[in-house]
Amino acid sequence: MIRSIKSFDIKDKNILIRVDFNVPLNDQGHIEDNFRIKSAIPTIKFCLEAGASVVLMSHLGRPGGEVDSDLSLIPIGEELAGILEMPIKFSHDPISEDAHDTSLGLKPGEVHLLENLRFNEGEEANDYDFSSKLAKHGQIFINDAFGTAHRSHASNVGVPAQFKHKGIGLLVDREIQYLSATIKRPKRPLVLILGGAKIGSKLGLIESFLDTADSIIIGGGMAFTFLKAKGFNIGKSLLDESMVSTAARIMNTARQKEIQLLLPTDVMCGNNLDADEPIGPFSIHDMPSDLMGLDIGPETIESFSTVCTQGGTAVWNGPMGLFEINGFGTGTMRIAEALETLVENEGTAIVGGGDSAAAVKKYGLSESMSHVSTGGGASLELLSGKSLPALQILE
Ligand code: AMP
């Protein structure tokens, strides 16, 4: 059993929290989006209001074990201090004596942020010595960094291994509720909506939902490998040759298990990946040989949306088209709207992290979903029924 932060007596305790402050930075090195910092606030405030002090640790970017001033957590500390409306302490070297003294001297209600953990190569190597030194910062360990939960690094595996009292924060608790508990006992029908470019990274998810789903919808670039396996001419559309037989097997299994599997019946096209004006719609029965399918067409939007809105629980991973280009974002936007309707009708809509999360955000619909995951790879693995190393160590 994994314990929630809420189950500990944390008054006057020093809580070491692994947070995910891996925020996107713009060209000037400024924080482009503080969503991840804001997501950590409920757990931090919960601790402070209960009379605990807090030590926060995170990575930012990929400095590769070396100090890189462009990836310092100092601006994140400033942003955090602004959100919390209080000063916070900062240590440049997380495993120095000074840093340990700062943590030891924290009074209830105070916050201490450690510099980017990946400035030390011990973090990604899950080094024992590095973990032991980090572990000295608190009496209770809490993991609230879902985005890295599928990795075995020092701060989320090596450090908790050294703690008797450990658990998860409010953010990770919510991720587990939606990505694991809800899926195990879904309100039916259970619909899986897949899109994006790569089939390989979503195979585990497909296999797992072939055991549980009532319907599987496949759009985006990956749909063309399935259409190819069915014998359609897909023109110059994205094709993963190595996955054609896998796609055929998946469709076969779905048929045997009487799972409804929906593929696009019409598509919007472009000349190449740089196209900005959609051409079409074309039925998939007569796709031009010199064009690429870059979004689902109106007939497909209709049929996919109907299945989405009639679901009980829907899980979405991957955009329906090249949504980064406005002309090819219609299918993705309309699926997001269908999920909004599903939630209005008392259904549950769960959006995996990464591109689908970016898409619902782009269309201003994040708040309309039941849950938008903060982790890309981690959400895929949890939804696939796999156990995540950072959660396993807390059991
Ligand atoms: P993935 O990481 O596999 O989820 O792929 C996400 C990417 O797939 C996004 O950048 C989309 O623009 C891209 N994508 C979606 N549909 C298509 C398509 N029909 N052709 C090419 N790329 C696509």
Side-chain angles (χ1 to χ4, degrees):
M1 247 279 282
I2 299 181
R3 288 181 70 177
S4 155
I5 178 82
K6 288 185 180 161
S7 72
F8 292 94
D9 177 11
I10 58 172
K11 189 169 181 327
D12 295 325
K13 297 275 187 343
N14 205 353
I15 319 296
L16 175 59
I17 312 179
R18 179 33 160 124
V19 286
D20 183 1
F21 285 164
N22 186 28
V23 296
L25 301 172
N26 65 18
D27 295 346
Q28 286 86 47
H30 297 143
I31 299 168
E32 199 165 76
D33 182 354
N34 69 1
F35 171 70
R36 286 195 167 145
I37 303 176
K38 281 189 174 159
S39 302
I41 298 295
T43 299
I44 298 170
K45 278 202 170 152
F46 177 86
C47 293
L48 300 181
E49 283 164 11
S53 57
V54 159
V55 181
L56 303 171
M57 55 179 179
S58 174
H59 77 282
L60 173 61
R62 296 173 184 269
E66 285 178 17
V67 175
D68 175 351
S69 57
D70 290 344
L71 294 174
S72 169
L73 287 193
I74 292 174
I76 281 135
E78 286 164 358
E79 179 79 9
L80 180 67
I83 297 173
L84 292 172
E85 296 180 336
M86 60 181 272
I88 62 165
K89 297 176 192 298
F90 185 83
S91 286
H92 294 275
D93 180 356
I95 54 171
S96 65
E97 236 174 83
D98 272 358
H100 288 135
D101 288 346
T102 303
S103 288
L104 268 176
L106 287 177
K107 297 187 194 71
E110 287 189 331
V111 177
H112 179 202
L113 173 64
L114 306 180
E115 181 55 289
N116 191 345
L117 297 173
R118 289 194 188 166
F119 285 179
N120 190 309
E121 56 189 19
E123 167 61 359
E124 288 186 78
N126 191 10
D127 177 71
Y128 180 79
D129 190 48
F130 184 61
S131 299
S132 306
K133 287 177 177 158
L134 286 177
K136 285 190 192 167
H137 282 286
Q139 294 153 290
I140 297 173
F141 173 87
I142 291 296
N143 189 334
D144 213 21
F146 186 67
T148 49
H150 57 315
R151 311 243 182 254
S152 294
H153 292 168
S155 61
N156 59 2
V157 173
V159 175
Q162 309 204 17
F163 276 80
K164 181 167 176 243
H165 302 293
K166 52 195 169 185
I168 49 172
L170 304 176
L171 174 71
V172 171
D173 200 355
R174 192 178 149 83
E175 295 276 9
I176 295 175
Q177 283 310 320
Y178 277 99
L179 303 178
S180 180
T182 305
I183 299 306
K184 282 188 186 132
R185 286 175 297 279
K187 187 176 162 198
R188 292 199 175 268
L190 173 61
V191 184
L192 174 67
I193 308 144
L194 286 175
K198 296 179 288 291
I199 301 181
S201 60
K202 297 174 188 107
L203 265 186
L205 185 61
I206 302 175
E207 301 287 358
S208 157
F209 275 72
L210 278 172
D211 284 331
T212 54
D214 299 292
S215 305
I216 299 179
I217 291 175
I218 299 178
M222 65 188 276
F224 294 99
T225 300
F226 286 79
L227 290 169
K228 176 81 179 174
K230 289 188 89 168
F232 286 103
N233 164 32
I234 58 165
K236 290 200 297 178
S237 307
L238 200 70
L239 170 67
D240 187 344
E241 285 285 3
S242 67
M243 285 286 161
V244 175
S245 57
T246 304
R249 179 178 56 77
I250 289 167
M251 290 188 286
N252 213 5
T253 308
R255 202 174 310 114
Q256 281 165 5
K257 295 194 173 184
E258 295 180 8
I259 296 169
Q260 181 189 30
L261 193 142
L262 280 87
L263 290 169
T265 51
D266 62 345
V267 289
M268 302 303 294
C269 294
N271 289 310
N272 50 49
L273 287 173
D274 295 323
D276 48 15
E277 278 297 316
I279 311 171
F282 294 99
S283 157
I284 47 133
H285 292 278
D286 38 47
M287 244 203 86
S289 295
D290 57 338
L291 295 181
M292 292 183 88
L294 295 176
D295 195 8
I296 52 175
E299 186 183 279
T300 307
I301 289 176
E302 242 358 271
S303 64
F304 284 10
S305 298
T306 303
V307 175
C308 288
T309 49
Q310 289 172 351
T313 308
V315 176
W316 183 20
N317 196 299
M320 292 292 111
L322 206 65
F323 80 103
E324 295 92 339
I325 297 170
N326 285 338
F328 297 104
T330 311
T332 302
M333 184 176 74
R334 295 286 302 277
I335 292 301
E337 286 170 354
L339 294 184
E340 180 183 35
T341 307
L342 169 68
V343 175
E344 283 165 5
N345 295 340
E346 312 293 322
T348 303
I350 300 167
V351 181
D355 277 319
S356 347
V360 287
K361 185 161 185 244
K362 178 172 176 177
Y363 304 123
L365 292 172
S366 301
E367 301 297 317
S368 307
M369 303 294 126
S370 312
H371 180 65
V372 180
S373 177
T374 53
S379 82
L380 263 176
E381 297 207 6
L382 199 53
L383 281 168
S384 308
K386 294 191 189 135
S387 53
L388 307 179
L391 300 184
Q392 225 170 359
I393 196 80
L394 302 174
E395 275 172 10

